[in-house]
Amino acid sequence: MILTGKSLQVVVAIKPVDFRKGHDGLMAVVQSELGLDPHSGVIVVFRSKRADRIKVLTWDGGGLVLAYKRLEEGSFAWPPIRDGVMQLSVAQFGALFEG
């Protein structure tokens, strides 16, 4: 999808975010709420309240990349809502992004 490699760090922000946020707003969430460095190359997956949309934010070395996916039918399977992050493997991230 965006980047590939076994050394990638992929995290899911468990708590839904306001999907009106763009690059800068989500970068602020990564820094202030999740305590991560958005320029480290970490891939951060954000979920919507509806559970049928995700936004993926990462730094590719030259700028912030923001991808958005909305399922036409159904919803993503999510753990219970709470603060914090959940680690994903690259394979799990691929499966999540596929829907």
Side-chain angles (χ1 to χ4, degrees):
M1 179 240 124
I2 295 173
L3 302 169
T4 59
K6 293 183 180 182
S7 64
L8 293 176
Q9 180 186 10
V10 182
V11 298
V12 175
I14 303 297
K15 187 175 179 182
V17 298
D18 180 350
F19 258 47
R20 295 174 290 184
K21 291 182 188 283
H23 293 77
D24 295 329
L26 293 174
M27 185 173 71
V29 170
V30 171
Q31 289 174 316
S32 64
E33 294 181 29
L34 305 179
L36 299 171
D37 178 8
H39 298 99
S40 67
V42 63
I43 297 172
V44 184
V45 180
F46 296 95
R47 63 187 279 186
S48 68
K49 290 179 184 175
R50 293 183 180 185
D52 66 341
R53 301 151 201 250
I54 60 172
K55 282 189 175 182
V56 180
L57 184 72
T58 192
W59 175 261
D60 72 355
L64 284 172
V65 177
L66 180 62
Y68 177 87
K69 181 155 188 168
R70 181 189 72 208
L71 296 177
E72 291 299 318
E73 294 182 15
S75 61
F76 293 98
W78 296 110
I81 294 174
R82 59 181 172 79
D83 289 336
V85 297
M86 177 177 71
Q87 297 278 339
L88 293 182
S89 70
V90 174
Q92 289 170 320
F93 171 65
L96 173 69
F97 197 79
E98 288 297 319

Coordinates of all heavy atoms in Angstrom, one line a residue:
M1 N 0.8 -1.2 0.0 CA 0.0 0.0 0.0 C 0.9 1.2 0.0 O 1.1 1.8 -1.0 CB -0.9 -0.1 1.2 CG -1.9 1.0 1.4 SD -1.6 1.7 3.0 CE -1.2 3.3 2.8
I2 N 1.4 1.6 1.2 CA 2.3 2.8 1.2 C 3.7 2.4 1.2 O 4.5 2.8 0.3 CB 2.0 3.6 2.5 CG1 0.5 4.2 2.5 CG2 2.9 4.8 2.6 CD1 0.1 4.8 3.7
L3 N 4.1 1.6 2.2 CA 5.5 1.2 2.3 C 5.5 -0.3 2.6 O 4.6 -0.8 3.2 CB 6.2 2.0 3.4 CG 6.2 3.5 3.3 CD1 6.7 4.1 4.6 CD2 7.1 3.9 2.2
T4 N 6.6 -0.9 2.3 CA 6.8 -2.3 2.7 C 8.1 -2.5 3.4 O 9.0 -1.8 3.2 CB 6.7 -3.2 1.5 OG1 7.7 -2.9 0.5 CG2 5.3 -3.1 0.8
G5 N 8.2 -3.6 4.1 CA 9.4 -3.9 4.8 C 9.1 -4.5 6.2 O 8.1 -4.2 6.8
K6 N 9.9 -5.4 6.6 CA 9.7 -6.1 7.8 C 10.0 -5.3 9.1 O 9.6 -5.6 10.2 CB 10.5 -7.4 7.9 CG 10.0 -8.4 6.8 CD 10.7 -9.7 6.9 CE 10.1 -10.6 5.8 NZ 10.7 -11.9 5.8
S7 N 10.8 -4.2 8.9 CA 11.2 -3.4 10.1 C 10.3 -2.3 10.4 O 10.5 -1.5 11.2 CB 12.6 -2.9 9.9 OG 12.6 -2.0 8.8
L8 N 9.2 -2.2 9.7 CA 8.2 -1.1 9.9 C 7.5 -1.2 11.2 O 7.1 -2.3 11.6 CB 7.2 -1.0 8.7 CG 7.7 -0.7 7.3 CD1 6.6 -0.8 6.3 CD2 8.3 0.7 7.3
Q9 N 7.2 -0.1 11.8 CA 6.4 -0.1 13.0 C 5.0 0.4 12.6 O 4.9 1.5 12.1 CB 7.0 0.8 14.1 CG 6.2 0.9 15.4 CD 6.7 1.9 16.4 OE1 7.6 2.7 16.1 NE2 6.2 1.8 17.6
V10 N 4.0 -0.4 12.9 CA 2.7 0.0 12.6 C 1.9 0.0 13.9 O 1.9 -1.0 14.6 CB 2.0 -1.0 11.6 CG1 0.6 -0.6 11.3 CG2 2.8 -1.2 10.3
V11 N 1.2 1.1 14.2 CA 0.3 1.2 15.4 C -1.1 1.6 15.0 O -1.2 2.4 14.0 CB 0.9 2.1 16.4 CG1 2.3 1.6 16.9 CG2 1.1 3.5 15.9
V12 N -2.0 1.2 15.8 CA -3.4 1.6 15.6 C -3.8 2.5 16.8 O -3.6 2.0 17.9 CB -4.4 0.4 15.5 CG1 -5.8 0.9 15.4 CG2 -4.1 -0.4 14.3
A13 N -4.3 3.7 16.6 CA -4.8 4.5 17.6 C -6.2 3.9 18.0 O -7.1 4.0 17.2 CB -4.9 6.0 17.2
I14 N -6.3 3.4 19.2 CA -7.5 2.7 19.5 C -8.7 3.6 19.6 O -9.8 3.2 19.2 CB -7.3 1.9 20.9 CG1 -6.1 1.0 20.8 CG2 -8.6 1.2 21.3 CD1 -6.2 -0.1 19.8
K15 N -8.5 4.8 20.2 CA -9.6 5.7 20.3 C -10.0 6.4 19.0 O -9.0 6.9 18.3 CB -9.2 6.8 21.4 CG -10.3 7.7 21.8 CD -9.8 8.6 22.9 CE -10.8 9.6 23.3 NZ -10.3 10.5 24.4
P16 N -11.2 6.4 18.6 CA -11.6 7.1 17.3 C -11.2 8.6 17.3 O -11.2 9.2 18.4 CB -13.1 7.0 17.2 CG -13.4 5.8 18.1 CD -12.4 5.8 19.2
V17 N -10.8 9.1 16.1 CA -10.5 10.5 16.0 C -11.5 11.2 15.1 O -12.3 10.6 14.4 CB -9.1 10.7 15.4 CG1 -8.0 10.1 16.3 CG2 -9.0 10.1 14.0
D18 N -11.5 12.5 15.2 CA -12.3 13.4 14.4 C -11.8 13.3 13.0 O -10.7 13.7 12.7 CB -12.2 14.8 14.9 CG -13.1 15.8 14.1 OD1 -13.6 15.4 13.0 OD2 -13.2 16.9 14.6
F19 N -12.6 12.7 12.1 CA -12.1 12.5 10.7 C -12.1 13.8 9.8 O -11.7 13.7 8.7 CB -12.9 11.4 10.0 CG -12.2 10.1 10.0 CD1 -11.5 9.6 11.1 CD2 -12.1 9.4 8.8 CE1 -10.8 8.4 11.1 CE2 -11.4 8.2 8.8 CZ -10.7 7.7 9.9
R20 N -12.4 14.9 10.4 CA -12.2 16.2 9.7 C -10.7 16.6 9.8 O -10.3 17.5 9.0 CB -13.1 17.3 10.3 CG -14.6 17.0 10.1 CD -15.4 18.0 10.8 NE -15.3 17.8 12.2 CZ -16.0 18.4 13.2 NH1 -16.8 19.4 12.8 NH2 -15.8 18.2 14.4
K21 N -9.9 16.0 10.7 CA -8.5 16.3 10.8 C -7.8 15.9 9.6 O -8.0 14.8 9.0 CB -7.9 15.6 12.1 CG -8.4 16.2 13.4 CD -7.7 15.4 14.5 CE -8.3 15.8 15.9 NZ -7.9 17.1 16.3
G22 N -6.8 16.7 9.2 CA -5.9 16.4 8.1 C -4.5 16.1 8.6 O -4.4 15.6 9.7
H23 N -3.6 16.3 7.7 CA -2.2 15.9 8.0 C -1.7 16.5 9.4 O -1.2 15.8 10.2 CB -1.2 16.5 6.9 CG -1.4 15.8 5.6 ND1 -2.4 16.1 4.8 CD2 -0.6 14.8 5.0 CE1 -2.3 15.3 3.7 NE2 -1.2 14.6 3.8
D24 N -1.9 17.8 9.5 CA -1.3 18.5 10.7 C -2.1 18.1 11.9 O -1.5 18.0 13.0 CB -1.4 20.0 10.5 CG -0.5 20.5 9.4 OD1 0.6 19.8 9.1 OD2 -0.8 21.5 8.7
G25 N -3.4 18.0 11.9 CA -4.2 17.7 13.0 C -3.9 16.3 13.5 O -3.7 16.0 14.7
L26 N -3.7 15.3 12.6 CA -3.4 14.0 13.0 C -1.9 13.9 13.5 O -1.6 13.1 14.4 CB -3.6 13.0 11.8 CG -5.1 12.8 11.4 CD1 -5.2 12.0 10.1 CD2 -5.9 12.2 12.5
M27 N -1.0 14.7 12.9 CA 0.3 14.7 13.4 C 0.4 15.2 14.8 O 1.1 14.6 15.6 CB 1.2 15.6 12.5 CG 2.7 15.5 12.9 SD 3.8 16.4 11.8 CE 3.4 18.1 12.1
A28 N -0.5 16.1 15.2 CA -0.5 16.6 16.5 C -1.0 15.5 17.5 O -0.6 15.4 18.6 CB -1.4 17.9 16.6
V29 N -2.0 14.7 17.0 CA -2.5 13.6 17.8 C -1.4 12.6 18.1 O -1.2 12.1 19.2 CB -3.7 12.9 17.2 CG1 -4.1 11.6 17.9 CG2 -4.9 13.9 17.1
V30 N -0.6 12.3 17.0 CA 0.5 11.4 17.1 C 1.5 11.8 18.2 O 1.9 11.1 19.0 CB 1.2 11.2 15.8 CG1 2.5 10.3 15.9 CG2 0.3 10.5 14.8
Q31 N 1.8 13.1 18.2 CA 2.8 13.7 19.1 C 2.2 13.8 20.5 O 2.8 13.3 21.5 CB 3.3 15.0 18.6 CG 4.1 15.0 17.4 CD 4.5 16.4 16.9 OE1 3.6 17.2 16.8 NE2 5.7 16.6 16.5
S32 N 1.1 14.5 20.7 CA 0.6 14.8 22.0 C -0.2 13.7 22.7 O 0.0 13.5 23.9 CB -0.2 16.1 21.9 OG -1.4 15.9 21.2
E33 N -1.0 13.0 22.0 CA -1.8 12.0 22.6 C -1.2 10.6 22.6 O -1.4 9.8 23.6 CB -3.2 12.0 22.0 CG -4.0 13.2 22.2 CD -5.4 13.2 21.5 OE1 -5.9 12.1 21.4 OE2 -5.9 14.2 21.1
L34 N -0.5 10.3 21.6 CA 0.1 8.9 21.5 C 1.6 8.9 21.9 O 2.1 7.8 22.1 CB 0.0 8.4 20.0 CG -1.5 8.4 19.5 CD1 -1.4 7.8 18.0 CD2 -2.4 7.6 20.4
G35 N 2.2 10.1 22.0 CA 3.6 10.1 22.5 C 4.6 9.5 21.5 O 5.6 9.1 21.9
L36 N 4.3 9.6 20.2 CA 5.1 9.1 19.1 C 5.7 10.2 18.3 O 5.2 11.3 18.2 CB 4.4 8.1 18.2 CG 3.7 6.9 18.9 CD1 2.8 6.1 18.0 CD2 4.8 6.0 19.4
D37 N 6.8 9.9 17.6 CA 7.4 10.9 16.7 C 6.9 10.6 15.3 O 7.2 9.6 14.7 CB 9.0 10.7 16.7 CG 9.7 11.6 15.8 OD1 9.0 12.5 15.2 OD2 10.9 11.5 15.6
P38 N 6.1 11.5 14.8 CA 5.5 11.3 13.4 C 6.6 11.3 12.3 O 6.3 10.8 11.2 CB 4.5 12.4 13.3 CG 5.0 13.5 14.2 CD 5.7 12.8 15.3
H39 N 7.8 11.8 12.6 CA 8.8 11.8 11.6 C 9.7 10.6 11.6 O 10.7 10.5 10.9 CB 9.6 13.1 11.7 CG 8.8 14.3 11.5 ND1 8.3 15.1 12.5 CD2 8.4 14.9 10.4 CE1 7.6 16.1 12.0 NE2 7.6 16.0 10.7
S40 N 9.4 9.6 12.5 CA 10.2 8.4 12.7 C 10.0 7.3 11.6 O 10.7 6.4 11.6 CB 10.0 7.8 14.0 OG 8.7 7.3 14.1
G41 N 8.9 7.5 10.8 CA 8.6 6.5 9.8 C 7.5 5.5 10.3 O 7.1 4.6 9.6
V42 N 7.0 5.7 11.6 CA 6.0 4.9 12.1 C 4.7 5.1 11.3 O 4.4 6.2 10.8 CB 5.7 5.2 13.6 CG1 5.2 6.6 13.8 CG2 4.7 4.2 14.2
I43 N 4.0 4.0 11.0 CA 2.7 4.1 10.3 C 1.6 4.1 11.4 O 1.6 3.2 12.2 CB 2.5 2.9 9.4 CG1 3.6 2.9 8.3 CG2 1.1 2.9 8.8 CD1 3.6 1.7 7.4
V44 N 0.8 5.1 11.4 CA -0.2 5.2 12.4 C -1.6 5.1 11.7 O -1.9 5.9 10.8 CB -0.2 6.6 13.2 CG1 -1.2 6.6 14.3 CG2 1.2 6.8 13.8
V45 N -2.4 4.2 12.2 CA -3.7 4.0 11.6 C -4.7 4.6 12.6 O -4.7 4.3 13.8 CB -4.0 2.5 11.5 CG1 -5.4 2.2 10.9 CG2 -3.0 1.8 10.6
F46 N -5.6 5.4 12.1 CA -6.7 6.1 12.9 C -8.0 5.5 12.5 O -8.2 5.3 11.3 CB -6.7 7.6 12.6 CG -5.4 8.3 13.1 CD1 -4.4 8.5 12.2 CD2 -5.3 8.6 14.4 CE1 -3.3 9.2 12.7 CE2 -4.2 9.3 14.9 CZ -3.1 9.5 14.0
R47 N -8.9 5.3 13.4 CA -10.2 4.8 13.1 C -11.3 5.8 13.3 O -11.1 6.8 14.1 CB -10.5 3.6 14.1 CG -10.6 4.0 15.5 CD -10.7 2.8 16.4 NE -12.1 2.4 16.5 CZ -12.5 1.5 17.4 NH1 -11.7 0.9 18.2 NH2 -13.8 1.1 17.4
S48 N -12.4 5.7 12.6 CA -13.5 6.6 12.7 C -14.5 6.1 13.7 O -14.5 4.9 14.1 CB -14.2 6.8 11.4 OG -14.8 5.6 11.0
K49 N -15.4 6.9 14.2 CA -16.4 6.5 15.1 C -17.4 5.5 14.4 O -17.9 4.6 15.1 CB -17.3 7.7 15.5 CG -16.5 8.6 16.4 CD -17.3 9.8 16.9 CE -16.4 10.8 17.7 NZ -17.1 12.0 18.0
R50 N -17.6 5.6 13.1 CA -18.5 4.7 12.4 C -17.9 3.3 12.2 O -18.6 2.4 11.9 CB -18.8 5.2 11.1 CG -19.7 6.5 11.1 CD -20.0 6.8 9.6 NE -20.8 8.0 9.6 CZ -21.3 8.5 8.5 NH1 -21.0 7.9 7.3 NH2 -22.0 9.6 8.5
A51 N -16.6 3.2 12.4 CA -15.8 1.9 12.3 C -15.7 1.4 10.8 O -15.3 0.3 10.6 CB -16.4 0.8 13.2
D52 N -16.2 2.2 9.8 CA -16.1 1.8 8.4 C -15.0 2.6 7.7 O -14.9 2.5 6.5 CB -17.4 2.0 7.8 CG -17.9 3.4 7.6 OD1 -17.4 4.3 8.4 OD2 -18.8 3.7 6.8
R53 N -14.2 3.4 8.4 CA -13.2 4.2 7.7 C -11.9 4.2 8.5 O -12.0 4.1 9.7 CB -13.7 5.7 7.6 CG -15.0 5.9 6.9 CD -15.8 7.1 7.4 NE -17.2 6.9 7.1 CZ -17.8 7.7 6.2 NH1 -17.1 8.6 5.5 NH2 -19.0 7.5 5.9
I54 N -10.8 4.3 7.8 CA -9.5 4.5 8.4 C -8.7 5.6 7.7 O -9.0 5.8 6.5 CB -8.7 3.2 8.5 CG1 -8.4 2.6 7.1 CG2 -9.3 2.1 9.4 CD1 -7.4 1.5 7.1
K55 N -7.9 6.2 8.5 CA -6.9 7.1 7.9 C -5.5 6.6 8.3 O -5.3 6.1 9.5 CB -7.0 8.5 8.4 CG -8.2 9.3 7.7 CD -8.2 10.7 8.0 CE -9.2 11.5 7.2 NZ -9.2 12.9 7.5
V56 N -4.6 6.6 7.4 CA -3.2 6.1 7.7 C -2.2 7.2 7.5 O -2.2 7.8 6.4 CB -2.9 4.9 6.8 CG1 -1.5 4.4 7.0 CG2 -3.9 3.8 6.9
L57 N -1.4 7.5 8.5 CA -0.5 8.6 8.4 C 0.9 8.1 8.6 O 1.2 7.3 9.5 CB -0.8 9.7 9.5 CG 0.1 10.9 9.5 CD1 -0.3 11.8 8.4 CD2 -0.1 11.6 10.8
T58 N 1.8 8.5 7.7 CA 3.2 8.1 7.9 C 4.1 9.2 7.2 O 3.7 10.0 6.4 CB 3.5 6.7 7.2 OG1 4.8 6.3 7.6 CG2 3.4 6.8 5.7
W59 N 5.4 9.2 7.6 CA 6.4 10.0 7.1 C 7.2 9.2 6.1 O 7.8 8.1 6.5 CB 7.3 10.6 8.2 CG 8.4 11.4 7.7 CD1 9.7 11.0 7.6 CD2 8.4 12.8 7.4 NE1 10.5 12.0 7.2 CE2 9.7 13.1 7.0 CE3 7.4 13.7 7.3 CZ2 10.1 14.4 6.6 CZ3 7.8 15.0 6.9 CH2 9.1 15.4 6.6
D60 N 7.4 9.6 4.9 CA 8.1 8.8 3.9 C 9.5 9.3 3.7 O 10.2 8.8 2.7 CB 7.3 8.7 2.6 CG 7.3 10.0 1.8 OD1 7.9 11.0 2.3 OD2 6.8 10.0 0.6
G61 N 10.0 10.2 4.5 CA 11.3 10.7 4.4 C 11.4 12.1 3.7 O 12.3 12.8 3.8
G62 N 10.3 12.4 3.0 CA 10.2 13.7 2.3 C 9.0 14.5 2.6 O 8.9 15.7 2.3
G63 N 8.0 13.8 3.3 CA 6.8 14.5 3.6 C 5.8 13.5 4.3 O 6.1 12.3 4.3
L64 N 4.7 14.1 4.8 CA 3.7 13.3 5.4 C 2.8 12.7 4.3 O 2.4 13.4 3.4 CB 2.9 14.1 6.4 CG 3.5 14.4 7.7 CD1 2.6 15.4 8.5 CD2 3.7 13.2 8.5
V65 N 2.5 11.4 4.5 CA 1.6 10.8 3.5 C 0.3 10.4 4.3 O 0.4 9.8 5.4 CB 2.2 9.5 3.0 CG1 1.2 8.8 2.1 CG2 3.5 9.8 2.3
L66 N -0.8 10.8 3.8 CA -2.1 10.5 4.4 C -3.0 9.7 3.4 O -3.3 10.2 2.3 CB -2.8 11.8 4.8 CG -4.2 11.6 5.5 CD1 -4.0 10.8 6.8 CD2 -4.8 13.0 5.8
A67 N -3.4 8.5 3.8 CA -4.2 7.7 3.0 C -5.6 7.5 3.8 O -5.6 7.4 5.0 CB -3.6 6.3 2.8
Y68 N -6.6 7.4 3.0 CA -8.0 7.3 3.6 C -8.7 6.1 2.9 O -8.6 6.0 1.7 CB -8.7 8.6 3.2 CG -10.2 8.7 3.7 CD1 -10.5 9.1 5.0 CD2 -11.2 8.3 2.8 CE1 -11.8 9.2 5.4 CE2 -12.5 8.4 3.2 CZ -12.8 8.9 4.5 OH -14.1 8.9 4.9
K69 N -9.4 5.3 3.7 CA -10.1 4.2 3.1 C -11.5 4.1 3.8 O -11.6 4.2 5.0 CB -9.4 2.9 3.3 CG -10.2 1.7 2.7 CD -9.3 0.6 2.4 CE -10.1 -0.4 1.6 NZ -9.2 -1.4 1.0
R70 N -12.5 4.0 2.9 CA -13.9 3.8 3.4 C -14.4 2.6 2.8 O -14.4 2.4 1.6 CB -14.8 5.0 3.0 CG -16.2 4.9 3.5 CD -17.1 5.9 2.9 NE -17.3 5.6 1.5 CZ -17.5 6.5 0.5 NH1 -17.6 7.7 0.8 NH2 -17.7 6.1 -0.7
L71 N -14.9 1.7 3.7 CA -15.5 0.5 3.2 C -16.9 0.7 2.6 O -17.7 1.5 3.2 CB -15.6 -0.6 4.3 CG -14.3 -1.1 4.9 CD1 -14.6 -2.0 6.0 CD2 -13.5 -1.7 3.9
E72 N -17.2 0.2 1.5 CA -18.5 0.3 0.9 C -19.6 -0.4 1.6 O -20.8 0.0 1.7 CB -18.5 -0.1 -0.6 CG -17.7 0.8 -1.5 CD -18.2 2.3 -1.5 OE1 -19.5 2.5 -1.6 OE2 -17.4 3.2 -1.4
E73 N -19.2 -1.6 2.2 CA -20.2 -2.4 3.0 C -19.5 -2.9 4.2 O -18.3 -3.2 4.2 CB -20.7 -3.6 2.2 CG -21.5 -3.2 1.0 CD -22.0 -4.4 0.2 OE1 -22.0 -5.5 0.8 OE2 -22.5 -4.2 -0.9
G74 N -20.2 -3.0 5.3 CA -19.6 -3.6 6.6 C -18.7 -2.6 7.3 O -18.8 -1.4 7.0
S75 N -18.0 -3.1 8.2 CA -17.1 -2.2 9.0 C -15.8 -3.0 9.4 O -15.8 -4.3 9.3 CB -17.8 -1.7 10.3 OG -18.2 -2.8 11.1
F76 N -14.8 -2.3 9.8 CA -13.6 -2.9 10.3 C -13.9 -3.5 11.7 O -14.7 -3.0 12.4 CB -12.5 -1.9 10.4 CG -12.0 -1.3 9.1 CD1 -12.5 -0.1 8.6 CD2 -11.1 -2.1 8.3 CE1 -12.0 0.4 7.4 CE2 -10.6 -1.6 7.1 CZ -11.1 -0.3 6.6
A77 N -13.2 -4.6 12.0 CA -13.3 -5.2 13.4 C -12.3 -4.5 14.3 O -11.1 -4.4 13.9 CB -13.0 -6.7 13.3
W78 N -12.7 -3.9 15.4 CA -11.9 -3.1 16.3 C -12.0 -3.7 17.7 O -13.0 -4.2 18.1 CB -12.3 -1.7 16.3 CG -12.2 -0.9 15.0 CD1 -13.2 -0.5 14.2 CD2 -11.0 -0.6 14.4 NE1 -12.7 0.1 13.1 CE2 -11.3 0.1 13.2 CE3 -9.6 -0.7 14.7 CZ2 -10.4 0.6 12.3 CZ3 -8.7 -0.2 13.8 CH2 -9.0 0.5 12.6
P79 N -10.9 -3.5 18.4 CA -11.0 -3.8 19.9 C -11.8 -2.8 20.6 O -12.1 -1.7 20.0 CB -9.5 -3.8 20.3 CG -8.8 -2.9 19.4 CD -9.6 -3.0 18.0
P80 N -12.2 -3.0 21.9 CA -12.9 -2.0 22.6 C -12.2 -0.7 22.6 O -11.0 -0.6 22.6 CB -13.0 -2.6 24.0 CG -12.8 -4.1 23.8 CD -11.9 -4.2 22.7
I81 N -13.0 0.4 22.6 CA -12.4 1.8 22.6 C -11.8 2.1 23.9 O -12.4 1.9 25.0 CB -13.5 2.8 22.3 CG1 -14.1 2.6 20.9 CG2 -13.0 4.2 22.5 CD1 -15.2 3.5 20.5
R82 N -10.6 2.6 23.8 CA -9.8 3.0 25.0 C -8.7 3.9 24.5 O -8.5 4.1 23.3 CB -9.3 1.9 25.8 CG -8.3 0.9 25.0 CD -7.9 -0.2 25.9 NE -7.2 -1.2 25.1 CZ -5.9 -1.1 24.7 NH1 -5.2 -0.1 25.0 NH2 -5.3 -2.1 24.0
D83 N -7.9 4.5 25.4 CA -6.8 5.3 25.0 C -5.6 4.4 24.7 O -5.6 3.3 25.1 CB -6.4 6.3 26.1 CG -7.4 7.4 26.3 OD1 -8.1 7.7 25.3 OD2 -7.5 8.0 27.4
G84 N -4.7 4.9 23.9 CA -3.4 4.2 23.7 C -3.4 3.7 22.3 O -4.2 4.0 21.4
V85 N -2.4 2.8 22.0 CA -2.2 2.2 20.7 C -2.1 0.7 20.8 O -1.8 0.2 21.8 CB -0.9 2.8 20.1 CG1 -1.0 4.3 19.8 CG2 0.3 2.5 20.9
M86 N -2.2 0.1 19.6 CA -2.1 -1.3 19.5 C -1.1 -1.6 18.4 O -1.2 -1.0 17.3 CB -3.4 -1.9 19.1 CG -3.4 -3.4 18.9 SD -5.1 -4.1 18.6 CE -5.4 -3.4 16.9
Q87 N -0.1 -2.4 18.6 CA 0.9 -2.7 17.6 C 0.4 -3.7 16.6 O -0.4 -4.6 17.0 CB 2.2 -3.4 18.2 CG 2.9 -2.4 19.2 CD 3.8 -1.5 18.5 OE1 4.2 -1.7 17.4 NE2 4.1 -0.4 19.2
L88 N 0.7 -3.6 15.3 CA 0.4 -4.5 14.3 C 1.6 -4.9 13.5 O 2.5 -4.2 13.4 CB -0.6 -3.8 13.2 CG -2.0 -3.4 13.6 CD1 -2.7 -2.9 12.4 CD2 -2.8 -4.6 14.2
S89 N 1.6 -6.2 13.0 CA 2.7 -6.6 12.1 C 2.3 -6.1 10.8 O 1.2 -5.6 10.5 CB 2.7 -8.1 12.1 OG 1.6 -8.7 11.4
V90 N 3.3 -6.1 9.9 CA 3.1 -5.6 8.5 C 2.0 -6.5 7.8 O 1.2 -5.9 7.1 CB 4.4 -5.7 7.7 CG1 4.2 -5.4 6.2 CG2 5.5 -4.8 8.3
A91 N 2.0 -7.8 8.1 CA 0.9 -8.6 7.5 C -0.4 -8.3 8.1 O -1.4 -8.2 7.3 CB 1.2 -10.1 7.8
Q92 N -0.5 -8.0 9.4 CA -1.8 -7.6 9.9 C -2.3 -6.3 9.4 O -3.5 -6.1 9.1 CB -1.7 -7.5 11.5 CG -1.6 -8.8 12.2 CD -1.2 -8.6 13.6 OE1 -0.4 -7.8 14.0 NE2 -1.8 -9.5 14.5
F93 N -1.3 -5.3 9.2 CA -1.7 -4.0 8.6 C -2.2 -4.2 7.2 O -3.2 -3.6 6.8 CB -0.5 -3.1 8.6 CG -0.7 -1.9 7.8 CD1 -1.6 -0.9 8.2 CD2 0.1 -1.6 6.6 CE1 -1.8 0.3 7.5 CE2 -0.1 -0.5 5.9 CZ -1.0 0.5 6.4
G94 N -1.6 -5.1 6.4 CA -2.0 -5.4 5.0 C -3.4 -5.9 5.0 O -4.3 -5.5 4.2
A95 N -3.7 -6.9 5.9 CA -5.1 -7.4 6.0 C -6.1 -6.4 6.4 O -7.2 -6.3 5.9 CB -5.1 -8.6 7.0
L96 N -5.7 -5.5 7.4 CA -6.6 -4.4 7.8 C -6.9 -3.5 6.7 O -8.1 -3.2 6.4 CB -6.0 -3.7 9.0 CG -6.8 -2.4 9.4 CD1 -8.1 -2.8 10.1 CD2 -5.9 -1.6 10.3
F97 N -5.9 -3.1 5.9 CA -6.1 -2.2 4.8 C -6.9 -2.8 3.7 O -7.7 -2.1 3.0 CB -4.8 -1.6 4.3 CG -4.9 -0.4 3.5 CD1 -5.1 0.8 4.1 CD2 -5.0 -0.5 2.1 CE1 -5.3 2.0 3.3 CE2 -5.1 0.7 1.3 CZ -5.3 1.9 2.0
E98 N -6.9 -4.1 3.5 CA -7.7 -4.7 2.5 C -9.1 -4.8 2.9 O -10.0 -5.0 2.1 CB -7.2 -6.2 2.3 CG -5.9 -6.2 1.6 CD -5.9 -5.6 0.2 OE1 -6.9 -5.9 -0.5 OE2 -5.0 -4.9 -0.2
G99 N -9.4 -4.6 4.2 CA -10.8 -4.5 4.7 C -11.3 -5.8 5.3 O -12.4 -6.1 5.5

